Amino acid sequence: MVRPSVSEAKLKKLLELNERLKEQLEIQRIPVSEASRSLIDYCQENSDMMIPSLWGSKHPDPFTDQVAGCGTCLVM
């Protein structure tokens, strides 16, 4: 059984790291300004039913307790 030397093991690790870095270089990237603009546009076009008050929705929130009486203040 032949054991690889320390220098061979280091070389193998460096070659593996080099391959991973080459793969990362091939990943398509976009500028942060473009990504943030895209996210803002998406959020403005699509409302989130979990937070309707944030978007000024006129529809009642189906997840809140319906309070009868003089408003939404309830003292326990």
Side-chain angles (χ1 to χ4, degrees), residues 42-52 54-57 59:
Y42 176 82
C43 291
Q44 288 177 342
E45 292 170 4
N46 300 297
S47 62
D48 187 347
M49 292 307 294
M50 297 301 287
I51 49 173
L54 179 68
W55 301 106
S57 174
H59 305 298

Side-chain angles (χ1 to χ4, degrees), residues 10-63:
K10 286 182 180 181
L11 176 62
K12 183 179 176 185
K13 285 184 181 183
L14 284 173
L15 291 174
E16 290 172 358
L17 175 63
N18 194 24
E19 279 301 312
R20 287 194 305 264
L21 291 172
K22 285 180 183 179
E23 290 171 5
Q24 288 181 2
L25 276 175
E26 295 173 3
I27 295 173
Q28 182 182 2
R29 290 170 169 74
I30 61 173
V32 173
S33 58
E34 185 179 331
S36 60
R37 177 82 277 175
S38 175
L39 181 60
I40 289 169
D41 290 343
Y42 176 82
C43 291
Q44 288 177 342
E45 292 170 4
N46 300 297
S47 62
D48 187 347
M49 292 307 294
M50 297 301 287
I51 49 173
S53 61
L54 179 68
W55 301 106
S57 174
K58 303 296 182 206
H59 305 298
D61 187 352
F63 302 104

